[in-house]
C-alpha cells in the first residue's frame, strides 16, 4: 500500500498512474478517495466541462473524438470520461482506444477513461463527477463526459457538466423521440449529427421550431448546429456554440451555476451512502424480510423504519439549515 501514499501529491506532479488510481478509488467508492481528495479540491474548477449525450449510435463518441482533436490543435489538453461506452473511441492517429492511451505512447495531452454503468448501484453520477474532479485537479483544460441519454441515471451524470451537448441524428434520434426522452430539456447545445444522411434538414427544422416554442422565455437560446462528425464537418461550429454558452454562463455567474450542480452532487452522494448503510450487508434487508413474513405491511414497515432513522438524526437547527 506504500505506493498509494500521497496520491494527491503525485497527481499534482503530473503522475498519470496516480490519476488512474484515484479515479479507480472514486469508481469503487473506496473510502480512501474522500480523504485523499481533500488536498486536491482547491485545484478543481479550472476546466470547462462538456457533457455529450444523445440516443445510442447518434455519433457521440465520433463527435467527442473530433472535439478533442480540435481542442488539441488549439494547444488545449483534454480529459474524457465515457460512461458505459458501447462503441470504442476510434480517433485513429490522435486518440486510439483506451489500452493504447494507457500505455502513454500517444498524445499525453489527452486522457480517456471508460466507466461501466452495468452492475453499478446508482453510483454512476457520483463516480463520473469525481472522475471529472480528479481530471480537473490534474490540470486538463477541457473535460468531455459522454453518456448515452436513455434514463434518469444517465441524466444525473450530466450534473457534472457546465455545457450539455445533445447529439441527435436523422432516423433513430428524431425530434419526437428526443422530446419524449426529455433530451431537449437537458440541452444547452443541440447537434444534428450525420447531416450527410437523408432527413437531416427536416430534423434541423423540427428542432429549430421545437427550441423556439419551448424555450421562448429562457435567457439562453439553445443553438441547433448541423454536423457530420464522421467527416469532421461542423465540429468547429459545435465548439463555437459551446464557447458561446460558456460566455453566457460566465456572464450570468459561473460560481452560482456550479454551486447548484454541486448541491445535486451532494444530494446523490448522500442518498447513495445512506442506501449503502441501510441496505448493504449490515443493513436492514433481512429484518424487513422477517417482518414482512410476520404479516406487517410495507407501508407500516417503511413508516416504522423512517421514524427509527429520524430519531437517530439530530434535527438541524435554524442556523444549520
Ligand atoms: N453517416 C455518418 N455516420 C456517422 C457520423 N458520425 C458517426 N457516424 C457513425 O455512426 C456510428 C455510431 O457512432 P458512435 O460515435 O459510436 O456513436 P455513439 O453515439 O457514441 O454510440 P453509443 O456510444 O454506442 O451510444 C458509427 O458507425 C459511426 O461511424 C456522421 O457524421 N455521418
Ligand atoms: Mg459512444
Amino acid at each position: 500500500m506504500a505506493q498509494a501514499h500521497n496520491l494527491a501529491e503525485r497527481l499534482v506532479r503530473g503522475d498519470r498512474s496516480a490519476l488512474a488510481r484515484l479515479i479507480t478509488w472514486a469508481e469503487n467508492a473506496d473510502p480512501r478517495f474522500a480523504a485523499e481528495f481533500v488536498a486536491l479540491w482547491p485545484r478543481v474548477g479550472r476546466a470547462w466541462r462538456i457533457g455529450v449525450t444523445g440516443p445510442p449510435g447518434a455519433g457521440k463518441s465520433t463527435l467527442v473524438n473530433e472535439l478533442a482533436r480540435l481542442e488539441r490543435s488549439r494547444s488545449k489538453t483534454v480529459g474524457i470520461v465515457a460512461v458505459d461506452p458501447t462503441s470504442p473511441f476510434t480517433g485513429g492517429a490522435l486518440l486510439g482506444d483506451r489500452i493504447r492511451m494507457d500505455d502513454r505512447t500517444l498524445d499525453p495531452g489527452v486522457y480517456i477513461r471508460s466507466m461501466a454503468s452495468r452492475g453499478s448501484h446508482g453510483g454512476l453520477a457520483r463516480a463520473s463527477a469525481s472522475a471529472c474532479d480528479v481530471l480537473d485537479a490534474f490540470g486538463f483544460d477541457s473535460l468531455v463526459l459522454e453518456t448515452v441519454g436513455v434514463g434518469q441515471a444517465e441524466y444525473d451524470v450530466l450534473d457534472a457538466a457546465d455545457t450539455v451537448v445533445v447529439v441527435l441524428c436523422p432516423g433513430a434520434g428524431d425530434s419526437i423521440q428526443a422530446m419524449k426522452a426529455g433530451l431537449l430539456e437537458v440541452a444547452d447545445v443541440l447537434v444534428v449529427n450525420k447531416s450527410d444522411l437523408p432527413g437531416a434538414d427536416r430534423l434541423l427544422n423540427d428542432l429549430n421550431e421545437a427550441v423556439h416554442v419551448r424555450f421562448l422565455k429562457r435567457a439562453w437560446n439553445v443553438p441547433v448546429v448541423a454536423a457530420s462528425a464522421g467527416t469532421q464537418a461542423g465540429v468547429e461550429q459545435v465548439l463555437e456554440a459551446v464557447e458561446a454558452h460558456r460566455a453566457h454562463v460566465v456572464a450570468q455567474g459561473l460560481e452560482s451555476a456550479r454551486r447548484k450542480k454541486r448541491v445535486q452532487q451532494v444530494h446523490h452522494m448522500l442518498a447513495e451512502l445512506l442506501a449503502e448503510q441501510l441496505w448493504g450487508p449490515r443493513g436492514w434487508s433481512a429484518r424487513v424480510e422477517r417482518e414482512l413474513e410476520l404479516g406487517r405491511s410495507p407501508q407500516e414497515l417503511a413508516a416504522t423504519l423512517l421514524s427509527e432513522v429520524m430519531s437517530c438524526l439530530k434535527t438541524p437547527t435554524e442556523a444549520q439549515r
Side-chain angles (χ1 to χ4, degrees):
M1 232 359 84
Q3 209 200 355
H5 274 321
N6 292 323
L7 279 186
E9 217 172 84
R10 284 168 47 200
L11 182 114
V12 170
R13 289 202 307 264
D15 180 341
R16 281 186 173 230
S17 60
L19 172 70
R21 176 76 71 93
L22 269 171
I23 295 178
T24 301
W25 281 3
E27 204 171 12
N28 298 341
D30 190 311
R32 289 172 291 183
F33 178 75
E36 196 69 29
F37 195 68
V38 169
L40 294 171
W41 177 242
R43 302 174 67 87
V44 174
R46 290 176 294 185
W48 195 254
R49 301 169 180 214
I50 308 169
V52 175
T53 192
K60 300 178 293 297
S61 300
T62 312
L63 181 68
V64 170
N65 267 316
E66 294 309 323
L67 287 172
R69 192 192 301 275
L70 192 56
E71 290 281 64
R72 289 302 292 138
S73 74
R74 297 172 179 178
S75 303
K76 296 241 186 91
T77 56
V78 186
I80 298 171
V81 177
V83 174
D84 199 20
T86 52
S87 51
F89 282 87
T90 51
L94 179 70
L95 297 181
D97 57 26
R98 186 178 167 198
I99 296 159
R100 280 156 63 205
M101 289 310 301
D102 281 352
D103 59 48
R104 275 166 269 146
T105 53
L106 285 162
D107 183 354
V110 177
Y111 186 88
I112 301 180
R113 177 70 176 225
S114 316
M115 286 192 165
S117 68
R118 274 179 293 268
S120 85
H121 300 284
L124 204 55
R126 175 194 46 74
S128 50
S130 297
C132 285
D133 286 344
V134 172
L135 290 166
D136 194 343
F138 186 86
F140 287 101
D141 298 315
S142 296
L143 301 183
V144 188
L145 185 58
E146 179 189 335
T147 176
V148 60
V150 291
Q152 194 54 52
E154 287 77 17
Y155 292 155
D156 288 345
V157 166
L158 297 169
D159 283 332
D162 296 307
T163 299
V164 174
V165 176
V166 170
V167 183
L168 302 171
C169 67
D174 72 23
S175 57
I176 312 263
Q177 289 293 340
M179 282 183 225
K180 275 197 212 149
L183 276 168
L184 296 196
E185 266 63 31
V186 298
D188 298 309
V189 173
L190 275 166
V191 173
V192 173
N193 191 41
K194 307 194 188 183
S195 48
D196 51 299
L197 296 184
D201 285 344
R202 189 167 158 220
L203 178 57
L204 208 59
N205 286 338
D206 286 355
L207 287 174
N208 270 315
E209 229 166 78
V211 162
H212 184 70
V213 172
R214 286 204 171 195
F215 303 142
L216 221 46
K217 293 196 188 116
R218 287 207 195 153
W220 170 247
N221 294 317
V222 175
V224 186
V225 184
S228 182
T231 59
Q232 303 183 5
V235 178
E236 272 186 49
Q237 285 74 8
V238 174
L239 203 52
E240 265 167 33
V242 169
E243 288 299 331
H245 180 254
R246 178 182 186 159
H248 169 79
V249 174
V250 169
Q252 298 273 308
L254 177 59
E255 282 314 310
S256 79
R258 282 186 169 167
R259 205 166 299 120
K260 277 187 200 135
K261 298 191 177 198
R262 292 296 186 189
V263 169
Q264 286 302 316
Q265 200 181 338
V266 173
H267 180 133
H268 295 314
M269 282 182 191
L270 186 58
E272 193 186 319
L273 293 169
L274 212 51
E276 176 60 27
Q277 288 289 316
L278 295 179
W279 307 110
R282 300 188 328 165
W284 283 345
S285 297
R287 171 181 164 193
V288 168
E289 205 173 328
R290 264 196 321 275
E291 304 218 21
L292 286 169
E293 257 171 34
L294 295 174
R296 294 185 70 188
S297 75
Q299 290 81 353
E300 185 197 355
L301 255 175
T304 308
L305 296 177
L306 177 66
S307 67
E308 276 184 38
V309 172
M310 296 311 286
S311 69
C312 298
L313 296 174
K314 260 204 336 228
T315 315
T317 62
E318 276 307 318
Q320 284 172 320
R321 261 186 216 126

